[in-house]
Amino acid sequence: MTFLIATCEFPDRADLAAGMWQRLAGEFDKRPVDLLVLPELAGVDSFWSSPTFDEAVWRQAAATHDTLEEHLRPIAARRIVGTRAVADGAKRWNETFLWTPERGMVRGRAKALLPQQEGGWEETWFDRGSRYAEAVRDGELCFSELVCTELMVSTAARGLGQSGVQVIAAPRATGGHPRWEVAARMTAIAAGAFVATANRRGARLAGGSWIVAPDGDILARTNVSAPIVSHEIDLALVDSARLTYPRNVRD
């Protein structure tokens, strides 16, 4: 079975988001995609880069993401995944989501690994999720999301592969260090699954979004002049990958 999946870069500035939403809305009109992966917290400024919490800034980000569906509806995609800022009582989540035209916004889980360092003070801005990624079944597709830093946890990828995941979506907000590409490729290899990772671009964030095959090969990548890419994948490759090294090594 073949699937058309897409990933993109998103500007790291809220005032440039409208243009990117419009571009995405026109990108797939001739050929809708089965899955589109958005970067981490697309559509708002990277407020978590400040070490000082600001309630007004947080509320604005959460309010912006409350209206995210308005931007997703015009995009010709059967599924769209990413993360959004969610106010849930006293909790502040960086939460995954699945959006489909039929079901609208389906809430996922809160990001579990939160860096606390220069450029990303996530423990200051978000509460930590209590559980790691699990397989999500939507029709004929089995997928999961690893958010940014969670790509670095190799045991998570292997577990997702064993649970039957075919595609791992990885929304990111990262710099340009080679470790991010290495992590995406190793996640694909460890899981025996396709990986589609999407990044933000601007200031300290380097862009660079990739679609990776189960053997770790890069199938498509974005750049400044081509911030949206798509690629047709064959899910049968996942079944064959599970029979090869290192996935066939017993724990």
Side-chain angles (χ1 to χ4, degrees):
M1 179 180 296
T2 59
F3 261 67
L4 186 63
I5 63 175
T7 187
C8 64
E9 298 181 2
F10 216 94
D12 189 40
R13 285 172 47 184
D15 61 337
L16 299 178
M20 189 60 189
W21 289 127
Q22 291 174 2
R23 185 163 183 172
L24 284 167
E27 181 73 18
F28 311 118
D29 281 348
K30 294 182 179 179
R31 191 183 183 192
V33 294
D34 294 295
L35 175 68
L36 169 65
V37 181
L38 296 175
E40 191 172 11
L41 299 164
V44 299
D45 291 324
S46 52
F47 55 88
W48 59 94
S49 63
S50 170
T52 304
F53 179 75
D54 185 316
E55 182 71 26
V57 171
W58 162 256
R59 288 184 178 276
Q60 180 58 53
T64 298
H65 279 160
D66 278 343
T67 64
L68 190 59
E69 284 191 82
E70 296 177 9
H71 301 293
L72 304 183
R73 288 192 197 100
I75 301 174
R78 293 180 61 192
R79 305 167 184 83
I80 303 175
V81 298
T83 80
R84 59 184 184 140
V86 174
D88 189 357
K91 297 294 186 179
R92 302 188 301 270
W93 303 127
N94 180 358
E95 187 177 273
T96 66
F97 68 84
L98 163 67
W99 182 88
T100 72
E102 298 79 18
R103 291 190 286 163
M105 186 67 70
V106 180
R107 294 181 63 176
R109 63 177 185 90
K111 184 178 180 179
L113 298 181
L114 302 177
Q116 184 75 345
Q117 61 187 24
E118 188 63 38
W121 303 96
E122 296 185 35
E123 286 189 352
T124 297
W125 289 92
F126 301 105
D127 290 290
R128 185 183 298 274
S130 59
R131 60 191 177 92
Y132 292 111
E134 297 177 349
V136 177
R137 296 188 180 275
D138 182 67
E140 61 274 42
L141 180 67
C142 184
F143 75 95
S144 190
E145 289 188 66
L146 291 175
V147 184
C148 202
T149 309
E150 295 173 347
L151 273 174
M152 302 293 185
V153 183
S154 60
T155 54
R158 184 167 176 81
L160 289 174
Q162 292 171 337
S163 68
V165 164
Q166 298 157 310
V167 177
I168 296 173
R172 296 170 19 247
T174 73
H177 194 283
R179 64 174 171 261
W180 294 107
E181 183 174 324
V182 172
R185 298 176 77 167
M186 284 305 303
T187 294
I189 292 168
F194 291 92
V195 170
T197 180
N199 197 14
R200 299 165 66 108
R201 181 182 289 275
R204 64 183 181 83
L205 302 179
S209 302
W210 318 295
I211 297 171
V212 189
D215 61 4
D217 286 344
I218 302 290
L219 301 174
R221 65 169 74 232
T222 62
N223 55 50
V224 174
S225 59
I228 306 169
V229 295
S230 59
H231 193 86
E232 189 170 79
I233 63 171
D234 185 354
L235 295 182
L237 293 177
V238 174
D239 296 329
S240 59
R242 300 275 160 79
L243 303 176
T244 62
Y245 180 85
R247 276 82 50 170
N248 62 355
V249 176
R250 294 180 180 275
D251 291 330

